[in-house]
Amino acid sequence: MPTTKQCNGPYQVATAATEGYLPYLACHLLTLGENGSKEVPLEITVIHRGIPIEAQRGLEALIPYPHSLRWIEPQKSLLEKIGAPLDFAACSPHYFRLLIPYLLPDHRRAIYLDADTMVLNDISSLWNTDLEGHAIAAVLDYLPCIRDAVSNWRELHVDPDAPYLNSGVLVMDLARWTSEKISLRVLKVCRENQAHLWAHGKWPQFDQYGLNVVLAGRWKALDPMWNRGTDLPQTAARIIHYLGNGKPGLATCQPVFNQLFFDVLRRTPYRDWLPVSNSEKPALVA
C-alpha cells in the first residue's frame, strides 16, 4: 500500500452539490468554516455538476483563513486522468462521494458531509474516530436494518438484521476503500439492482443502498449526534441534516432547526431564497 499523509491535519472534508442545491451548500460551507475546526485547517473539496464560476467565488468568500476550498467537476477528462470509472460523468451527484478516494489519493482519511448538513461543533473528534479496521464510520439510518431498506436482501445473501447506515456523514479510510475497490463494487450493485433503489417504493437510496449491501455488518457506528435529522427533537447535535421530512419550510422540520437554517441563509448570497416542493422522482442511477 502506498505511503500516505498522516491523519493529524489538515482535515480533508468533501461534499457534493449541483446548482439547485446552492442555498443548502452555502449554509453548509458557512457553518463548516466557522465551527468545523478551531485548531486544524480544513481542506474542503466540493464535487459538483454545473455550479457557475460566479457562484463558486461567492461561496469561497464564506470560508475563513486558514481553511481552503476547491471545486471539482467530474468530467470524463478528469475521470480518465485519475483512473475513475467514466460512468461517474453521467451519474446522479449523489454518487460523487464514491469519487473521494480517487480525488484524494495521497490522504489516508476523509470526512464526507452531505451538502444539506450544517456543522454546529468542531469535527476534530469525528476526524479522530477509531474506525477499528473498518472502511467507514456512519450513523444508523431512520430505517434501522437491512430488511427495512433492501427489499431484495434474500437474493443478495445479505444479513437482514445488519444495521443500515445513513450516508450523509461518513468518516472514510481511503486506503482501505481503495484496496477493497468499494466505489466500483457499490456502483456495480446499484446498477444491477435499480428496481430496488427505492426503500418501501418511496424513499430514494442512491448509493446508500450499495454501500449498505457491500459493507453489510462491516462499518463503525457513530454517535447519532454527528448526523441528526432536523425533523427529530432538538438535542445537542453536532451536525444536523436537513433530509426528508426535515427540509426547511416543511411543517415537520423542528422549529428551532427551521429558524436556524434561515438565520444562517441570511448571511449568504442566497438570503432571499425560499424552498419549493418537488414531487418528481429523480433517476437513481444514470
Side-chain angles (χ1 to χ4, degrees):
M1 193 172 294
T3 302
T4 53
K5 293 181 181 179
Q6 296 300 309
C7 291
N8 56 356
Y11 299 157
Q12 301 299 315
V13 183
T15 189
T18 61
E19 187 173 10
Y21 243 58
L22 282 172
Y24 289 99
L25 180 63
C27 291
H28 168 76
L29 292 174
L30 180 59
T31 58
L32 177 61
E34 289 185 344
N35 305 322
S37 178
K38 303 300 183 184
E39 303 294 335
V40 178
L42 302 174
E43 291 184 352
I44 305 165
T45 299
V46 180
I47 313 168
H48 75 98
R49 175 174 291 148
I51 295 181
I53 291 294
E54 58 271 21
Q56 295 179 26
R57 298 292 90 84
L59 293 181
E60 286 167 7
L62 303 177
I63 302 298
Y65 180 84
H67 308 317
S68 61
L69 175 62
R70 66 169 180 163
W71 302 84
I72 295 180
E73 188 162 14
Q75 298 174 338
K76 287 187 176 180
S77 58
L78 172 64
L79 296 173
E80 288 176 343
K81 181 178 179 180
I82 62 177
L86 300 185
D87 294 346
F88 281 110
C91 278
S92 164
H94 295 83
Y95 292 82
F96 285 174
R97 73 188 120 217
L98 301 180
L99 286 170
I100 294 171
Y102 296 97
L103 297 172
L104 300 174
D106 298 324
H107 296 274
R108 292 179 55 195
R109 176 168 292 207
I111 292 174
Y112 169 81
L113 302 173
D114 271 358
D116 55 359
T117 61
M118 292 209 306
V119 178
L120 307 185
N121 291 92
D122 194 295
I123 63 171
S124 296
S125 58
L126 179 64
W127 175 266
N128 290 310
T129 297
D130 182 357
L131 296 182
E132 300 175 1
H134 297 301
I136 63 171
V139 168
L140 190 69
D141 191 67
Y142 284 51
L143 301 170
C145 61
I146 291 286
R147 72 167 76 248
D148 297 315
V150 180
S151 59
N152 60 333
W153 58 266
R154 290 182 181 87
E155 294 86 340
L156 295 171
H157 306 291
V158 180
D159 178 4
D161 297 316
Y164 188 81
L165 67 85
N166 182 280
S167 57
V169 175
L170 300 175
V171 183
M172 306 170 64
D173 180 330
L174 300 183
R176 184 171 294 276
W177 192 285
T178 299
S179 66
E180 296 183 12
K181 298 181 170 58
I182 291 173
S183 296
L184 296 175
R185 292 162 62 196
V186 169
L187 192 58
K188 182 174 185 290
V189 164
C190 292
R191 287 197 177 280
E192 292 177 350
N193 296 276
Q194 294 189 49
H196 301 277
L197 297 185
W198 292 91
H200 295 247
K202 56 183 176 180
W203 293 310
Q205 301 300 289
F206 300 98
D207 60 321
Q208 182 168 290
Y209 170 98
L211 283 167
N212 276 281
V213 170
V214 170
L215 298 173
R218 298 190 302 114
W219 54 276
K220 169 74 176 285
L222 292 171
D223 187 313
M225 295 304 98
W226 287 117
N227 186 357
R228 182 72 171 175
T230 47
D231 58 335
L232 299 175
Q234 182 185 9
T235 63
R238 297 164 188 151
I239 296 175
I240 56 175
H241 195 175
Y242 291 90
L243 77 169
N245 290 331
K247 291 297 184 191
L250 293 181
T252 44
C253 181
Q254 289 290 324
V256 65
F257 294 138
N258 190 70
Q259 184 66 48
L260 177 62
F261 179 85
F262 290 105
D263 286 347
V264 174
L265 188 70
R266 279 192 287 271
R267 299 169 55 209
T268 77
Y270 304 94
R271 58 186 58 86
D272 297 323
W273 177 82
L274 292 174
V276 294
S277 62
N278 183 1
S279 60
E280 294 183 8
K281 283 190 172 185
L284 298 197
V285 184

